[in-house]
Amino acid sequence: MSSPHPRNSGLRVDLNPAAAVARHARHQAGEVVVRYPGGGLTYAELDDRAARLASVLADGGVVDGTRVAYLGLNSPAFLATMFAAFRLGAVFVPVNFRLAEPELERVLTDSGAEAIVCEEGHRPAAEAVRGATRLRRLLPVDDDPEVPAADSGADGWEPWSPLIAAAPPTTVLTPKYADDPAILMFTSGTTGTSKGVVLTHGNAWWNSVNVDLRLDTRRGDVTYAAAPLLHIGALNSFALRTLVRGGTVVVRRSFDPQECLDDLVAHRVNTVFGVPQMFAAPARVPGFRDRDLGELRAVVVAGAAAHARAGGAEERLREAGQGRHQAAGERGELR
C-alpha cells in the first residue's frame, strides 16, 4: 500500500467519475449521454439509474473496496453498473464475455468479486462456476430489449429491474483519489493465464488528460463505442473521458462495418477507438469514400500496427483531415 500524498500535493482531489456524471445530471439533465438501439439515456436518467443500482448493491453488502463484476456486451447496463460501483467506492470488474467456464472461474475467483451484473446469455456460465467464487449478489439484466429476458426462477438470481425501480437513489458519492483503485481489468491471456491489472482513479484521469493533450478532443464530444468496453482501449481512450466531460457515447453491442459507417455520419461522431480490422472493414463498404466524415477529429488504434491492417481507411482519414494514433499497453497509453 502506497503512503498517502501530502494534503497540498494536488493529488487529494476527488477524481471519481460518478461525481462528474452527477454534476452533469444537475446541469445538463436532459442531454443524451448514451445512444443505444435498445433505448438511450439522458444524464439525469443515467445518474438516477446508477444511484438506484448503488442502493441495491449496498443492500447486498457492497461497500468501499468491494469488487463488482459485469459480464455481458456493451450496453447501458455496463455503464450503469460501473457508475453504481464508483458511487460506493467499489472496484469495477469488467469480465470478458468470451471466456470459457474454467477461465471465467479463474477471473471471478482472482478478482474477489462479491456481486455480479450479468446478461442472460452469460448467466449459465456464471452459475456453473459461482460455487468456487465469493459471489453473493447475482443480478441478471432483464430490461434490455437487445438481450433475452432473464429467468426470474433461477436460484439466487434476482432480476435487477424491479429492484432498481423499488430502490431509492442513494446520495452516496464516495470521494476517490489518485491512488485509489477504480477498475480491475484482466489481460487477454495471450502469453499465459489472464492477469488482473488494477487501474486507479488517477490512471483513468491522467489517461484522459493525456488524450486531451495529444488529440483534438473537446467537451461534449460524441464518441463511438463498438469495440468491447471490457478492454482498456475502448473504455479508457474515449468512452470514460467523454462521460466525464459531458459528451455522448454511441454504444453498439458489436461491430458491423455498414452500421459503423452509417453511425459515424448520422451521429456526427468526433472520436472513435478500434483495432485495425475495424477500420479496414468500413473501407470496403461500397460508397465509403463518398461518406462525409468531416466531424471525425480523433482516431485511436490498438491491438496491432495500424498501417499493416487498416486497408484504405487510413488514407481516407488523412484525406478527410484526420490522423490516427497508436495506443498500446493495459493502460492504453498513446504512442
Side-chain angles (χ1 to χ4, degrees):
M1 180 67 69
S2 58
S3 58
H5 291 283
R7 231 175 243 283
N8 294 324
S9 71
L11 295 179
R12 293 294 293 176
V13 176
D14 183 9
L15 301 179
N16 194 334
V21 170
R23 286 194 298 272
H24 299 326
R26 293 195 299 271
H27 298 295
Q28 52 190 78
E31 293 187 16
V32 175
V33 58
V34 176
R35 296 194 182 278
Y36 179 70
L41 293 171
T42 65
Y43 270 99
E45 291 167 340
L46 175 60
D47 185 57
D48 180 73
R49 194 166 185 80
R52 292 176 184 274
L53 178 56
S55 293
V56 173
L57 292 172
D59 286 345
V62 173
V63 296
D64 192 346
T66 301
R67 278 73 188 285
V68 176
Y70 179 85
L71 178 57
L73 278 66
N74 293 358
S75 71
F78 179 105
L79 299 175
T81 303
M82 179 174 67
F83 285 113
F86 287 167
R87 270 185 166 267
L88 299 174
V91 178
F92 180 57
V93 185
V95 179
N96 193 332
F97 53 82
R98 298 188 181 97
L99 296 180
E101 286 181 11
E103 299 167 317
L104 178 61
E105 179 180 330
R106 186 181 304 113
V107 166
L108 291 175
T109 301
D110 289 353
S111 71
E114 297 181 25
I116 187 170
V117 174
C118 183
E119 291 185 353
E120 177 61 19
H122 306 284
R123 185 187 57 78
E127 172 65 22
V129 304
R130 70 161 164 148
T133 72
R134 298 177 61 185
L135 292 173
R136 54 185 179 180
R137 198 75 198 264
L138 311 168
L139 302 175
V141 176
D142 64 332
D143 58 356
D144 185 339
E146 299 294 303
V147 180
D151 179 3
S152 59
D155 182 36
W157 292 83
E158 306 169 85
W160 81 337
S161 65
L163 297 175
I164 290 174
T170 184
T171 58
V172 172
L173 267 171
T174 307
K176 283 293 163 179
Y177 307 111
D179 284 344
D180 292 331
I183 302 169
L184 180 55
M185 190 165 279
F186 281 78
T187 64
S188 57
T190 52
T191 59
T193 59
S194 183
K195 301 170 183 64
V197 178
V198 176
L199 300 175
T200 66
H201 284 276
N203 288 144
W205 173 261
W206 287 111
N207 190 77
S208 296
V209 172
N210 181 35
V211 168
D212 289 341
L213 290 173
R214 185 71 183 87
L215 307 179
D216 185 6
T217 49
R218 308 171 192 177
R219 175 175 170 77
D221 273 348
V222 177
T223 196
Y224 191 67
L229 290 169
L230 62 92
H231 293 307
I232 187 63
L235 182 60
N236 215 27
S237 287
F238 292 123
L240 191 53
R241 75 150 298 282
T242 300
L243 292 160
V244 169
R245 286 157 176 76
T248 301
V249 182
V250 179
V251 175
R252 295 294 178 257
R253 293 180 61 76
S254 59
F255 173 74
D256 176 81
Q258 182 69 64
E259 181 183 56
C260 174
L261 190 56
D262 291 343
D263 283 338
L264 293 179
V265 176
H267 297 296
R268 302 169 67 87
V269 171
N270 307 121
T271 66
V272 62
F273 167 87
V275 298
Q277 295 89 335
M278 294 175 67
F279 296 99
R284 294 191 290 268
V285 172
F288 169 71
R289 289 182 173 275
D290 299 324
R291 304 303 291 271
D292 182 5
L293 301 178
E295 297 296 327
L296 188 60
R297 289 184 265 99
V299 175
V300 170
V301 186
H307 61 81
R309 300 183 184 176
E314 188 172 3
E315 178 186 351
R316 175 66 182 90
L317 291 173
R318 284 198 299 267
E319 290 173 355
Q322 294 87 27
R324 60 91 182 151
H325 297 267
Q326 187 84 41
E330 190 60 24
R331 288 178 173 83
E333 296 96 341
L334 293 179
R335 294 288 189 262

